Amino acid sequence: MSDRIQLPEAFEKRMQGLLGAEYEPFRQSYEQDRYYGLRYNPLKTTAEAFQEMMPFTLEKVSWAKEGYYYDAKEQPGRHVLHEAGAYYIQEPSAMAVVEILDPEPGEVILDLCAAPGGKSTQIAGRMQGRGLLVSNEIIPGRAKILSQNIERMGIRNCVVCNESPDRMEKFFPAFFDRIVVDAPCSGEGMFRKDDTAIAEWSPEHVQMCAERQVTILESAAGMLKPGGMLVYSTCTFAPAENEGVISRFVREHGDFTIEKVCCDPAFGAGRPEWTEEPAVGLEYTMRLFPHRLKGEGHYIAVLRKAGTLLKDTAGILRPYQRYAVQNESGKKGRGKQQKDCRMEEDINSFLHSELGLCEDWLDSQGGTLQMFGEQLYLVPEQMIPLKGLKVVRPGLHLATNKKNRLEPAHALALALQPQETERQRELTLEETEKYLHGESLLCDEEKGWIILTYLGYPVGFGKASGGQMKNHYPKGLRK
């Protein structure tokens, strides 16, 4: 049992008036310990294999295919399997958003307010490496964290942007099949887990958030294809940020309707009576209350844009294209082109001979090879030209060109399946912990680049020579 949480007086008064007799169990939920959740990574394992090998006590989350509750005392966030991208720590109620979005392989999807990456990584798991996921975050520091989580989970088909929603709209008009807007909000639903949210709360902050949410939705609407789906969510109880925002948006956009979707029985319906001008279908939106389910507070609405959704390639992968050599300005130079053409001849040899990948590995991926300075990336084939767009991660980082030799990127190791390479070594738990600390390991007769794994999950590259496995785990990630 936790200590009594001191809630803002104005918040309590408002919720008391809204919930009536239901307020007391709602208030009592704040005196209960909160629930902790994680999602297994379907890009790296199956549910059955995950449950068999996990050294934690797990209980299924009813509304999330990949979701489980865990015992906080076991601290899975500190385990080596977390660093290997075997799972993502995520609040259980937040998992419902992507479950309702229901992404499919081959689609073109946007997570507009994506940091730290919970919903993006869940979307990517459903996409299975096919199609394009664009994950955007306006705050640079948070965009970097988002990119790190995309990398850790081994996601190949994601581009991470660092743009404002209105600038994103200029680059991606009517571009996406599905969009998630997990809007920045007053955070009332997180009061049980986040003291900062309580300290920053005020009625004025709620209103400011509501105005910002309407603006973000405006930009998202312009990026959605006709017939596309937009899922709006917040982690607040404030009607102004939930039913109020959706009602206003639908009234001002006649080409959008609120769609009814099947959901978990524990989810409550939206409250049309909590807003002055309720839109048609507002009762189809969803409210997740902490006194009704094992999770925190959330609000979810599904919006459908009028028209017929036309998908581009249905996830059919085309052979990779020769790489477009470009510097940060996007200009091509003849001398540098000639240099990179020679490197182009070596890339397949590097992947096959030095890393042990099959000869047609690149052909099986789809996308375009592009150089950004000395960094080689595989950019998803459905991505627009990157010139002018603030991009943190243009795709899967394959390698770095160091003095005319290639060195494999850490992201590539995390994205590979063990069966994709012959050059691998399974580590013990003790060896894996040493590797994550940056220590070298002993080896036998191995030579060259080796993908190191723990329980079949890649943790990074090592380079074997003279009985030593040189550590290539990034210094910024070391424990």
Side-chain angles (χ1 to χ4, degrees), residues 233-296:
S233 67
T234 72
C235 56
T236 187
F237 302 112
E241 299 179 69
N242 296 331
E243 289 90 351
V245 166
I246 295 301
S247 289
R248 176 177 168 181
F249 177 81
V250 172
R251 287 198 307 271
E252 295 176 358
H253 294 79
D255 55 340
F256 277 84
T257 54
I258 301 171
E259 188 164 277
K260 182 179 182 180
V261 297
C262 294
C263 58
D264 193 277
F267 299 174
R271 304 292 183 96
E273 68 275 14
W274 286 2
T275 188
E276 293 181 0
E277 298 182 67
V280 174
L282 204 59
E283 68 275 12
Y284 297 151
T285 64
M286 289 151 273
R287 277 189 171 270
L288 284 64
F289 285 107
H291 64 290
R292 291 186 172 186
L293 47 73
K294 295 179 179 180
E296 305 306 312

Side-chain angles (χ1 to χ4, degrees), residues 19 21 59 93 111 131 148 170 184 222 225 231 240 242 276 362 371 424 435:
L19 289 172
E59 177 190 346
S93 291
D111 186 357
Q148 290 172 344
K170 293 176 181 178
K225 291 179 182 177
V231 176
N242 296 331
E276 293 181 0
L362 271 178
M371 289 294 297
Q424 60 182 283
Y435 175 78

Side-chain angles (χ1 to χ4, degrees), residues 129-380:
R130 294 165 53 197
L132 169 65
L133 170 61
V134 177
S135 299
N136 180 68
E137 172 56 46
I138 190 172
I139 301 174
R142 286 172 56 81
K144 182 178 179 181
I145 294 171
L146 167 64
S147 182
Q148 290 172 344
N149 281 323
I150 293 293
E151 177 177 294
R152 180 173 62 84
M153 300 298 278
I155 298 167
R156 307 184 188 194
N157 61 325
C158 180
V159 174
V160 177
C161 298
N162 173 215
E163 289 284 7
S164 62
D166 61 313
R167 272 185 52 83
M168 287 289 287
E169 184 183 3
K170 293 176 181 178
F171 283 95
F172 297 98
F175 187 79
F176 296 100
D177 303 318
R178 301 176 198 257
I179 296 176
V180 168
V181 177
D182 185 39
C185 68
S186 59
E188 295 174 2
M190 297 295 115
F191 281 176
R192 186 163 59 171
K193 61 171 287 189
D194 188 359
D195 292 340
T196 303
I198 297 177
E200 294 179 349
W201 186 92
S202 70
E204 293 75 22
H205 183 54
V206 169
Q207 193 56 44
M208 183 274 290
C209 288
E211 294 300 323
R212 180 173 57 189
Q213 289 152 1
V214 170
T215 301
I216 293 172
L217 267 180
E218 289 282 348
S219 296
M223 290 185 275
L224 191 64
K225 291 179 182 177
M229 173 192 281
L230 190 159
V231 176
Y232 173 83
S233 67
T234 72
C235 56
T236 187
F237 302 112
E241 299 179 69
N242 296 331
E243 289 90 351
V245 166
I246 295 301
S247 289
R248 176 177 168 181
F249 177 81
V250 172
R251 287 198 307 271
E252 295 176 358
H253 294 79
D255 55 340
F256 277 84
T257 54
I258 301 171
E259 188 164 277
K260 182 179 182 180
V261 297
C262 294
C263 58
D264 193 277
F267 299 174
R271 304 292 183 96
E273 68 275 14
W274 286 2
T275 188
E276 293 181 0
E277 298 182 67
V280 174
L282 204 59
E283 68 275 12
Y284 297 151
T285 64
M286 289 151 273
R287 277 189 171 270
L288 284 64
F289 285 107
H291 64 290
R292 291 186 172 186
L293 47 73
K294 295 179 179 180
E296 305 306 312
H298 235 73
Y299 176 81
I300 305 171
V302 179
L303 302 170
R304 179 72 67 175
K305 193 172 188 177
T308 301
L309 181 61
L310 300 176
K311 297 182 181 180
D312 294 332
T313 64
I316 298 174
L317 295 176
R318 296 189 290 270
Y320 77 95
Q321 303 172 29
R322 297 301 186 186
Y323 48 147
V325 182
Q326 63 181 55
N327 54 31
E328 291 181 0
S329 66
K331 296 179 181 179
K332 299 180 180 180
R334 178 178 296 179
K336 184 159 177 57
Q337 274 189 294
Q338 292 173 345
K339 175 182 176 182
D340 286 317
C341 282
R342 292 195 298 272
M343 196 173 106
E344 179 182 355
E345 296 173 0
D346 295 336
I347 182 66
N348 269 313
S349 175
F350 168 74
L351 293 173
H352 176 60
S353 301
E354 296 194 43
L355 302 187
L357 304 184
C358 61
E359 292 185 5
D360 63 349
W361 185 82
L362 271 178
D363 288 318
S364 70
Q365 300 305 302
T368 60
L369 287 171
Q370 296 189 29
M371 289 294 297
F372 298 85
E374 300 302 317
Q375 308 305 319
L376 177 65
Y377 281 85
L378 184 62
V379 180

